[in-house]
PDB file of all heavy atoms in Angstrom:
ATOM      1  N   GLN X  25      25.203  57.665 -21.176  1.00 95.00           N
ATOM      2  CA  GLN X  25      24.079  58.510 -21.552  1.00 95.00           C
ATOM      3  C   GLN X  25      23.379  59.008 -20.304  1.00 95.00           C
ATOM      4  O   GLN X  25      23.458  58.378 -19.228  1.00 95.00           O
ATOM      5  CB  GLN X  25      23.093  57.736 -22.427  1.00 95.00           C
ATOM      6  CG  GLN X  25      23.657  57.275 -23.761  1.00 95.00           C
ATOM      7  CD  GLN X  25      22.650  56.519 -24.598  1.00 95.00           C
ATOM      8  OE1 GLN X  25      21.454  56.498 -24.292  1.00 95.00           O
ATOM      9  NE2 GLN X  25      23.123  55.886 -25.667  1.00 95.00           N
ATOM     10  N   ASP X  26      22.695  60.135 -20.420  1.00 95.00           N
ATOM     11  CA  ASP X  26      21.902  60.637 -19.297  1.00 95.00           C
ATOM     12  C   ASP X  26      20.956  59.548 -18.795  1.00 95.00           C
ATOM     13  O   ASP X  26      20.284  58.875 -19.589  1.00 95.00           O
ATOM     14  CB  ASP X  26      21.081  61.856 -19.717  1.00 95.00           C
ATOM     15  CG  ASP X  26      21.921  63.103 -19.888  1.00 95.00           C
ATOM     16  OD1 ASP X  26      23.068  63.119 -19.418  1.00 95.00           O
ATOM     17  OD2 ASP X  26      21.430  64.070 -20.515  1.00 95.00           O
ATOM     18  N   GLY X  27      20.937  59.391 -17.482  1.00 96.00           N
ATOM     19  CA  GLY X  27      20.034  58.417 -16.886  1.00 96.00           C
ATOM     20  C   GLY X  27      20.675  57.074 -16.604  1.00 96.00           C
ATOM     21  O   GLY X  27      20.124  56.282 -15.813  1.00 96.00           O
ATOM     22  N   ASP X  28      21.815  56.751 -17.246  1.00 97.00           N
ATOM     23  CA  ASP X  28      22.514  55.518 -16.913  1.00 97.00           C
ATOM     24  C   ASP X  28      22.905  55.556 -15.431  1.00 97.00           C
ATOM     25  O   ASP X  28      23.260  56.612 -14.894  1.00 97.00           O
ATOM     26  CB  ASP X  28      23.771  55.349 -17.754  1.00 97.00           C
ATOM     27  CG  ASP X  28      23.476  55.053 -19.211  1.00 97.00           C
ATOM     28  OD1 ASP X  28      22.293  54.824 -19.542  1.00 97.00           O
ATOM     29  OD2 ASP X  28      24.431  55.053 -20.020  1.00 97.00           O
ATOM     30  N   ILE X  29      22.824  54.406 -14.780  1.00 97.00           N
ATOM     31  CA  ILE X  29      23.114  54.351 -13.349  1.00 97.00           C
ATOM     32  C   ILE X  29      24.607  54.112 -13.119  1.00 97.00           C
ATOM     33  O   ILE X  29      25.191  53.176 -13.669  1.00 97.00           O
ATOM     34  CB  ILE X  29      22.292  53.240 -12.661  1.00 97.00           C
ATOM     35  CG1 ILE X  29      20.792  53.510 -12.831  1.00 97.00           C
ATOM     36  CG2 ILE X  29      22.649  53.154 -11.177  1.00 97.00           C
ATOM     37  CD1 ILE X  29      20.335  54.846 -12.253  1.00 97.00           C
ATOM     38  N   ILE X  30      25.188  54.988 -12.312  1.00 97.00           N
ATOM     39  CA  ILE X  30      26.586  54.854 -11.919  1.00 97.00           C
ATOM     40  C   ILE X  30      26.637  54.502 -10.434  1.00 97.00           C
ATOM     41  O   ILE X  30      25.972  55.143  -9.609  1.00 97.00           O
ATOM     42  CB  ILE X  30      27.368  56.148 -12.183  1.00 97.00           C
ATOM     43  CG1 ILE X  30      27.407  56.448 -13.689  1.00 97.00           C
ATOM     44  CG2 ILE X  30      28.785  56.052 -11.622  1.00 97.00           C
ATOM     45  CD1 ILE X  30      28.075  57.744 -14.036  1.00 97.00           C
ATOM     46  N   ARG X  31      27.424  53.472 -10.108  1.00 97.00           N
ATOM     47  CA  ARG X  31      27.582  53.038  -8.724  1.00 97.00           C
ATOM     48  C   ARG X  31      29.042  53.222  -8.300  1.00 97.00           C
ATOM     49  O   ARG X  31      29.952  52.723  -8.964  1.00 97.00           O
ATOM     50  CB  ARG X  31      27.175  51.573  -8.549  1.00 97.00           C
ATOM     51  CG  ARG X  31      25.718  51.316  -8.896  1.00 97.00           C
ATOM     52  CD  ARG X  31      25.324  49.862  -8.651  1.00 97.00           C
ATOM     53  NE  ARG X  31      23.954  49.633  -9.070  1.00 97.00           N
ATOM     54  CZ  ARG X  31      22.883  49.922  -8.354  1.00 97.00           C
ATOM     55  NH1 ARG X  31      23.037  50.423  -7.116  1.00 97.00           N
ATOM     56  NH2 ARG X  31      21.677  49.686  -8.811  1.00 97.00           N
ATOM     57  N   ILE X  32      29.220  53.932  -7.208  1.00 96.00           N
ATOM     58  CA  ILE X  32      30.553  54.160  -6.639  1.00 96.00           C
ATOM     59  C   ILE X  32      30.592  53.486  -5.281  1.00 96.00           C
ATOM     60  O   ILE X  32      29.738  53.738  -4.421  1.00 96.00           O
ATOM     61  CB  ILE X  32      30.824  55.672  -6.485  1.00 96.00           C
ATOM     62  CG1 ILE X  32      30.708  56.379  -7.842  1.00 96.00           C
ATOM     63  CG2 ILE X  32      32.196  55.913  -5.863  1.00 96.00           C
ATOM     64  CD1 ILE X  32      30.650  57.888  -7.726  1.00 96.00           C
ATOM     65  N   ASP X  33      31.552  52.607  -5.072  1.00 96.00           N
ATOM     66  CA  ASP X  33      31.685  51.885  -3.804  1.00 96.00           C
ATOM     67  C   ASP X  33      33.127  52.029  -3.326  1.00 96.00           C
ATOM     68  O   ASP X  33      34.032  51.371  -3.830  1.00 96.00           O
ATOM     69  CB  ASP X  33      31.320  50.411  -3.992  1.00 96.00           C
ATOM     70  CG  ASP X  33      31.225  49.659  -2.666  1.00 96.00           C
ATOM     71  OD1 ASP X  33      31.936  50.042  -1.711  1.00 96.00           O
ATOM     72  OD2 ASP X  33      30.454  48.682  -2.592  1.00 96.00           O
ATOM     73  N   LEU X  34      33.335  52.910  -2.357  1.00 94.00           N
ATOM     74  CA  LEU X  34      34.686  53.162  -1.869  1.00 94.00           C
ATOM     75  C   LEU X  34      35.249  51.966  -1.114  1.00 94.00           C
ATOM     76  O   LEU X  34      36.458  51.733  -1.146  1.00 94.00           O
ATOM     77  CB  LEU X  34      34.702  54.404  -0.977  1.00 94.00           C
ATOM     78  CG  LEU X  34      34.252  55.722  -1.623  1.00 94.00           C
ATOM     79  CD1 LEU X  34      34.424  56.871  -0.637  1.00 94.00           C
ATOM     80  CD2 LEU X  34      35.006  55.999  -2.904  1.00 94.00           C
ATOM     81  N   ASP X  35      34.389  51.209  -0.434  1.00 93.00           N
ATOM     82  CA  ASP X  35      34.875  50.054   0.309  1.00 93.00           C
ATOM     83  C   ASP X  35      35.342  48.951  -0.637  1.00 93.00           C
ATOM     84  O   ASP X  35      36.383  48.323  -0.401  1.00 93.00           O
ATOM     85  CB  ASP X  35      33.777  49.533   1.237  1.00 93.00           C
ATOM     86  CG  ASP X  35      33.445  50.520   2.353  1.00 93.00           C
ATOM     87  OD1 ASP X  35      34.362  51.239   2.786  1.00 93.00           O
ATOM     88  OD2 ASP X  35      32.276  50.575   2.773  1.00 93.00           O
ATOM     89  N   ALA X  36      34.571  48.710  -1.691  1.00 95.00           N
ATOM     90  CA  ALA X  36      34.956  47.701  -2.683  1.00 95.00           C
ATOM     91  C   ALA X  36      35.962  48.247  -3.688  1.00 95.00           C
ATOM     92  O   ALA X  36      36.511  47.482  -4.491  1.00 95.00           O
ATOM     93  CB  ALA X  36      33.722  47.188  -3.410  1.00 95.00           C
ATOM     94  N   ARG X  37      36.163  49.570  -3.663  1.00 96.00           N
ATOM     95  CA  ARG X  37      37.068  50.263  -4.589  1.00 96.00           C
ATOM     96  C   ARG X  37      36.683  49.992  -6.045  1.00 96.00           C
ATOM     97  O   ARG X  37      37.497  49.612  -6.872  1.00 96.00           O
ATOM     98  CB  ARG X  37      38.534  49.904  -4.305  1.00 96.00           C
ATOM     99  CG  ARG X  37      38.939  50.289  -2.869  1.00 96.00           C
ATOM    100  CD  ARG X  37      40.409  50.218  -2.599  1.00 96.00           C
ATOM    101  NE  ARG X  37      40.654  50.612  -1.199  1.00 96.00           N
ATOM    102  CZ  ARG X  37      41.843  50.709  -0.621  1.00 96.00           C
ATOM    103  NH1 ARG X  37      42.926  50.443  -1.341  1.00 96.00           N
ATOM    104  NH2 ARG X  37      41.973  51.064   0.640  1.00 96.00           N
ATOM    105  N   ARG X  38      35.386  50.275  -6.299  1.00 97.00           N
ATOM    106  CA  ARG X  38      34.849  50.044  -7.643  1.00 97.00           C
ATOM    107  C   ARG X  38      34.020  51.245  -8.082  1.00 97.00           C
ATOM    108  O   ARG X  38      33.403  51.951  -7.260  1.00 97.00           O
ATOM    109  CB  ARG X  38      33.951  48.800  -7.687  1.00 97.00           C
ATOM    110  CG  ARG X  38      34.698  47.493  -7.517  1.00 97.00           C
ATOM    111  CD  ARG X  38      33.817  46.301  -7.871  1.00 97.00           C
ATOM    112  NE  ARG X  38      33.356  46.339  -9.259  1.00 97.00           N
ATOM    113  CZ  ARG X  38      34.047  45.861 -10.296  1.00 97.00           C
ATOM    114  NH1 ARG X  38      35.242  45.323 -10.114  1.00 97.00           N
ATOM    115  NH2 ARG X  38      33.541  45.929 -11.520  1.00 97.00           N
ATOM    116  N   VAL X  39      34.002  51.456  -9.390  1.00 97.00           N
ATOM    117  CA  VAL X  39      33.089  52.408 -10.012  1.00 97.00           C
ATOM    118  C   VAL X  39      32.541  51.728 -11.263  1.00 97.00           C
ATOM    119  O   VAL X  39      33.294  51.355 -12.167  1.00 97.00           O
ATOM    120  CB  VAL X  39      33.775  53.760 -10.333  1.00 97.00           C
ATOM    121  CG1 VAL X  39      35.031  53.584 -11.185  1.00 97.00           C
ATOM    122  CG2 VAL X  39      32.801  54.724 -10.987  1.00 97.00           C
ATOM    123  N   ASP X  40      31.223  51.526 -11.290  1.00 97.00           N
ATOM    124  CA  ASP X  40      30.574  50.756 -12.347  1.00 97.00           C
ATOM    125  C   ASP X  40      29.406  51.538 -12.925  1.00 97.00           C
ATOM    126  O   ASP X  40      28.860  52.457 -12.289  1.00 97.00           O
ATOM    127  CB  ASP X  40      30.066  49.418 -11.801  1.00 97.00           C
ATOM    128  CG  ASP X  40      31.184  48.508 -11.351  1.00 97.00           C
ATOM    129  OD1 ASP X  40      31.886  47.973 -12.225  1.00 97.00           O
ATOM    130  OD2 ASP X  40      31.358  48.341 -10.127  1.00 97.00           O
ATOM    131  N   THR X  41      29.010  51.160 -14.117  1.00 95.00           N
ATOM    132  CA  THR X  41      27.858  51.764 -14.773  1.00 95.00           C
ATOM    133  C   THR X  41      26.973  50.675 -15.358  1.00 95.00           C
ATOM    134  O   THR X  41      27.454  49.603 -15.739  1.00 95.00           O
ATOM    135  CB  THR X  41      28.284  52.739 -15.886  1.00 95.00           C
ATOM    136  OG1 THR X  41      27.128  53.325 -16.465  1.00 95.00           O
ATOM    137  CG2 THR X  41      29.080  52.023 -16.963  1.00 95.00           C
ATOM    138  N   HIS X  42      25.689  50.959 -15.382  1.00 92.00           N
ATOM    139  CA  HIS X  42      24.726  50.049 -16.022  1.00 92.00           C
ATOM    140  C   HIS X  42      23.733  50.877 -16.835  1.00 92.00           C
ATOM    141  O   HIS X  42      23.149  51.808 -16.313  1.00 92.00           O
ATOM    142  CB  HIS X  42      23.967  49.225 -14.975  1.00 92.00           C
ATOM    143  CG  HIS X  42      22.988  48.260 -15.591  1.00 92.00           C
ATOM    144  ND1 HIS X  42      23.390  47.076 -16.172  1.00 92.00           N
ATOM    145  CD2 HIS X  42      21.640  48.336 -15.742  1.00 92.00           C
ATOM    146  CE1 HIS X  42      22.338  46.443 -16.641  1.00 92.00           C
ATOM    147  NE2 HIS X  42      21.258  47.182 -16.387  1.00 92.00           N
ATOM    148  N   PRO X  43      23.585  50.527 -18.110  1.00 91.00           N
ATOM    149  CA  PRO X  43      24.343  49.508 -18.844  1.00 91.00           C
ATOM    150  C   PRO X  43      25.723  50.030 -19.239  1.00 91.00           C
ATOM    151  O   PRO X  43      25.988  51.220 -19.141  1.00 91.00           O
ATOM    152  CB  PRO X  43      23.475  49.264 -20.073  1.00 91.00           C
ATOM    153  CG  PRO X  43      22.836  50.600 -20.316  1.00 91.00           C
ATOM    154  CD  PRO X  43      22.575  51.183 -18.956  1.00 91.00           C
ATOM    155  N   VAL X  44      26.581  49.110 -19.692  1.00 89.00           N
ATOM    156  CA  VAL X  44      27.866  49.489 -20.262  1.00 89.00           C
ATOM    157  C   VAL X  44      27.676  49.647 -21.760  1.00 89.00           C
ATOM    158  O   VAL X  44      27.279  48.709 -22.437  1.00 89.00           O
ATOM    159  CB  VAL X  44      28.953  48.428 -19.976  1.00 89.00           C
ATOM    160  CG1 VAL X  44      30.276  48.852 -20.604  1.00 89.00           C
ATOM    161  CG2 VAL X  44      29.109  48.217 -18.479  1.00 89.00           C
ATOM    162  N   ARG X  45      27.922  50.847 -22.261  1.00 89.00           N
ATOM    163  CA  ARG X  45      27.679  51.142 -23.672  1.00 89.00           C
ATOM    164  C   ARG X  45      29.002  51.420 -24.381  1.00 89.00           C
ATOM    165  O   ARG X  45      29.897  52.030 -23.815  1.00 89.00           O
ATOM    166  CB  ARG X  45      26.774  52.364 -23.829  1.00 89.00           C
ATOM    167  CG  ARG X  45      25.446  52.293 -23.098  1.00 89.00           C
ATOM    168  CD  ARG X  45      24.686  53.605 -23.298  1.00 89.00           C
ATOM    169  NE  ARG X  45      23.526  53.724 -22.438  1.00 89.00           N
ATOM    170  CZ  ARG X  45      22.314  53.291 -22.756  1.00 89.00           C
ATOM    171  NH1 ARG X  45      22.127  52.694 -23.920  1.00 89.00           N
ATOM    172  NH2 ARG X  45      21.297  53.451 -21.925  1.00 89.00           N
ATOM    173  N   ASP X  46      29.081  50.983 -25.614  1.00 85.00           N
ATOM    174  CA  ASP X  46      30.212  51.361 -26.446  1.00 85.00           C
ATOM    175  C   ASP X  46      30.019  52.793 -26.925  1.00 85.00           C
ATOM    176  O   ASP X  46      28.894  53.243 -27.151  1.00 85.00           O
ATOM    177  CB  ASP X  46      30.330  50.441 -27.660  1.00 85.00           C
ATOM    178  CG  ASP X  46      30.715  49.024 -27.252  1.00 85.00           C
ATOM    179  OD1 ASP X  46      31.404  48.891 -26.233  1.00 85.00           O
ATOM    180  OD2 ASP X  46      30.315  48.072 -27.954  1.00 85.00           O
ATOM    181  N   GLY X  47      31.113  53.495 -27.081  1.00 82.00           N
ATOM    182  CA  GLY X  47      31.036  54.868 -27.577  1.00 82.00           C
ATOM    183  C   GLY X  47      32.275  55.235 -28.354  1.00 82.00           C
ATOM    184  O   GLY X  47      33.376  54.769 -28.029  1.00 82.00           O
ATOM    185  N   GLY X  48      32.105  56.049 -29.362  1.00 81.00           N
ATOM    186  CA  GLY X  48      33.250  56.546 -30.103  1.00 81.00           C
ATOM    187  C   GLY X  48      33.977  57.595 -29.295  1.00 81.00           C
ATOM    188  O   GLY X  48      33.491  58.064 -28.257  1.00 81.00           O
ATOM    189  N   PRO X  49      35.169  57.971 -29.735  1.00 85.00           N
ATOM    190  CA  PRO X  49      35.937  58.982 -29.004  1.00 85.00           C
ATOM    191  C   PRO X  49      35.139  60.271 -28.799  1.00 85.00           C
ATOM    192  O   PRO X  49      34.479  60.757 -29.716  1.00 85.00           O
ATOM    193  CB  PRO X  49      37.152  59.214 -29.902  1.00 85.00           C
ATOM    194  CG  PRO X  49      37.279  57.956 -30.707  1.00 85.00           C
ATOM    195  CD  PRO X  49      35.876  57.489 -30.926  1.00 85.00           C
ATOM    196  N   VAL X  50      35.190  60.798 -27.581  1.00 85.00           N
ATOM    197  CA  VAL X  50      34.511  62.043 -27.243  1.00 85.00           C
ATOM    198  C   VAL X  50      35.567  63.070 -26.869  1.00 85.00           C
ATOM    199  O   VAL X  50      36.385  62.837 -25.970  1.00 85.00           O
ATOM    200  CB  VAL X  50      33.521  61.854 -26.071  1.00 85.00           C
ATOM    201  CG1 VAL X  50      32.922  63.191 -25.661  1.00 85.00           C
ATOM    202  CG2 VAL X  50      32.433  60.866 -26.437  1.00 85.00           C
ATOM    203  N   ARG X  51      35.552  64.202 -27.551  1.00 82.00           N
ATOM    204  CA  ARG X  51      36.491  65.288 -27.286  1.00 82.00           C
ATOM    205  C   ARG X  51      35.724  66.547 -26.930  1.00 82.00           C
ATOM    206  O   ARG X  51      34.759  66.896 -27.609  1.00 82.00           O
ATOM    207  CB  ARG X  51      37.366  65.566 -28.516  1.00 82.00           C
ATOM    208  CG  ARG X  51      38.280  64.417 -28.913  1.00 82.00           C
ATOM    209  CD  ARG X  51      39.097  64.789 -30.133  1.00 82.00           C
ATOM    210  NE  ARG X  51      40.019  63.740 -30.509  1.00 82.00           N
ATOM    211  CZ  ARG X  51      41.242  63.598 -29.997  1.00 82.00           C
ATOM    212  NH1 ARG X  51      41.663  64.459 -29.089  1.00 82.00           N
ATOM    213  NH2 ARG X  51      42.030  62.615 -30.370  1.00 82.00           N
ATOM    214  N   ALA X  52      36.178  67.227 -25.900  1.00 75.00           N
ATOM    215  CA  ALA X  52      35.510  68.453 -25.484  1.00 75.00           C
ATOM    216  C   ALA X  52      35.601  69.523 -26.556  1.00 75.00           C
ATOM    217  O   ALA X  52      34.691  70.336 -26.723  1.00 75.00           O
ATOM    218  CB  ALA X  52      36.119  68.965 -24.181  1.00 75.00           C
ATOM    219  N   ALA X  53      36.691  69.510 -27.297  1.00 68.00           N
ATOM    220  CA  ALA X  53      36.911  70.582 -28.271  1.00 68.00           C
ATOM    221  C   ALA X  53      36.329  70.271 -29.640  1.00 68.00           C
ATOM    222  O   ALA X  53      36.321  71.122 -30.516  1.00 68.00           O
ATOM    223  CB  ALA X  53      38.405  70.843 -28.420  1.00 68.00           C
ATOM    224  N   GLY X  54      35.846  69.038 -29.842  1.00 63.00           N
ATOM    225  CA  GLY X  54      35.412  68.668 -31.183  1.00 63.00           C
ATOM    226  C   GLY X  54      36.624  68.396 -32.047  1.00 63.00           C
ATOM    227  O   GLY X  54      37.291  67.394 -31.887  1.00 63.00           O
ATOM    228  N   GLU X  55      36.939  69.314 -32.950  1.00 66.00           N
ATOM    229  CA  GLU X  55      38.082  69.144 -33.851  1.00 66.00           C
ATOM    230  C   GLU X  55      39.391  69.498 -33.141  1.00 66.00           C
ATOM    231  O   GLU X  55      39.459  70.472 -32.396  1.00 66.00           O
ATOM    232  CB  GLU X  55      37.924  70.029 -35.087  1.00 66.00           C
ATOM    233  CG  GLU X  55      36.736  69.645 -35.973  1.00 66.00           C
ATOM    234  CD  GLU X  55      36.900  68.254 -36.565  1.00 66.00           C
ATOM    235  OE1 GLU X  55      38.037  67.892 -36.926  1.00 66.00           O
ATOM    236  OE2 GLU X  55      35.899  67.526 -36.648  1.00 66.00           O
ATOM    237  N   VAL X  56      40.411  68.704 -33.400  1.00 70.00           N
ATOM    238  CA  VAL X  56      41.742  68.983 -32.850  1.00 70.00           C
ATOM    239  C   VAL X  56      42.381  70.087 -33.673  1.00 70.00           C
ATOM    240  O   VAL X  56      42.350  70.043 -34.906  1.00 70.00           O
ATOM    241  CB  VAL X  56      42.624  67.720 -32.902  1.00 70.00           C
ATOM    242  CG1 VAL X  56      44.036  68.039 -32.420  1.00 70.00           C
ATOM    243  CG2 VAL X  56      42.008  66.616 -32.055  1.00 70.00           C
TER     244      VAL X  56
END
């Protein structure tokens, strides 16, 4: 969601988010 904090650490080779939220499938087109 907007405002969730994303941390990218190239040295640790990690990409994390806080909080971690469950979400249903998201499609750019909506209906297939």
Side-chain angles (χ1 to χ4, degrees):
Q25 297 180 11
D26 286 345
D28 290 352
I29 300 301
I30 296 176
R31 299 183 184 278
I32 302 167
D33 189 330
L34 300 184
D35 293 328
R37 300 191 180 182
R38 291 192 61 86
V39 55
D40 295 287
T41 182
H42 181 77
V44 179
R45 305 177 191 271
D46 292 330
V50 175
R51 296 180 178 274
E55 295 296 322
V56 176

